[in-house]
Amino acid sequence: MNRQNLGYLVALILLAIVPLTGVYPVFVMKIMCYALFACAFNLLLGFTGLLSFGHAAFLGSAAYASGHAIKMWGFPTEVGLAFGVLVAGVLGLAMGALAIRRSGIYFAMITLALSQMVYFFFLQAKFTGGEDGLQGVPRGTLFGLIDLKSDFNLYYVVMAIFVLGYFIIWRTVHSPFGQVLKAIRENEARATSLGYDVDRFKLLAFVLSAMLAGLAGSTKMLIFVSATLTDATWQMSGLVILMTLIGGLGTLVGPVIGAFIVVLLENKVGELGATLTSWTGIEWFQRLGESVSIVIGLIFVICVLAFRRGIVGEVSAWLERRKALKQS
């Protein structure tokens, strides 16, 4: 067993024992959802070279679709989740077919514009609940056997979904299809000259990324039994870019690390501010909880300046340099 597989095994064991350690399971489930979302986005940007500013559309559409299907249509939970992924895939096919006609900043702007159209549709549509969101979605049971009302049971279902999604991405990256995506990222003109239908590969990558983002959205809806406009805003699209860049663009583990850091900051900055206020007596620190975006932004600036490859990318580069020194 090589080091990478050993690392995956250790991470899997640590994830499996989290509910037994007293850690709040919903917090870890939220991290896994965002990590899957970031990994899905990284498949498009890190391995295909396509910067999408509209990935929140897939997260939000899957959340609304699966929530509505389960609550209003009475779909079984597993069918509702699959329906959300399907809706995200169809939306990804439509958006991707339009966006891949352009490249670079034009591609990014098209995805942003289409995502904003989806957001305003959700804002106006009756089935979404508007600004109140879709609330009170029943978790139900999985295959009629596992009661998902229990956070303990739901945790292992979410963990299985995350592992499945991560494995799909890992397998895609290490397949011939993934090698073509990397070739497109490095030199699109050369990939075209070699006879590859670049637009078809881009569209397939876009749809796969959208479906995996939709899987994260459906799962997040199930955890919080609601779907809200927050999942479809442009800020969410920016947040997933932030997660990917902080962790390490073009690495498999990087987006997971980035998601962990961002979610941890979102949940703990307020507590940190309260602690600093009690220690120093300076009330300004209390406002940190309201200014979490500023704190995350500062961390992003520091990472861009000091860790150009992201945390995982810089660590990998350091290990490579160390290995080269030993060989010399």
Side-chain angles (χ1 to χ4, degrees), residues 264-291:
L264 186 67
L265 286 172
E266 284 185 338
N267 285 269
K268 298 300 181 182
V269 165
E271 295 180 14
L272 175 62
T275 302
L276 291 175
T277 299
S278 64
W279 285 357
T280 64
I282 301 174
E283 295 184 0
W284 179 86
F285 287 116
Q286 189 69 45
R287 300 177 186 175
L288 281 174
E290 304 170 2
S291 308

Side-chain angles (χ1 to χ4, degrees), residues 32-34 36-37 59 211-221:
M32 286 191 283
C33 285
Y34 278 117
L36 179 57
F37 183 35
L59 186 80
M211 293 181 72
L212 290 167
L215 181 60
S218 296
T219 307
K220 182 174 179 289
M221 179 282 304

Side-chain angles (χ1 to χ4, degrees), residues 213-229:
L215 181 60
S218 296
T219 307
K220 182 174 179 289
M221 179 282 304
L222 195 62
I223 296 169
F224 296 101
V225 296
S226 64
T228 64
L229 286 172

Side-chain angles (χ1 to χ4, degrees), residues 244-249 303 306-316:
T244 306
L245 292 178
I246 288 177
L249 183 65
C303 285
F307 307 100
R308 298 292 295 274
R309 302 181 184 89
I311 294 173
V312 174
E314 289 293 341
V315 171
S316 298

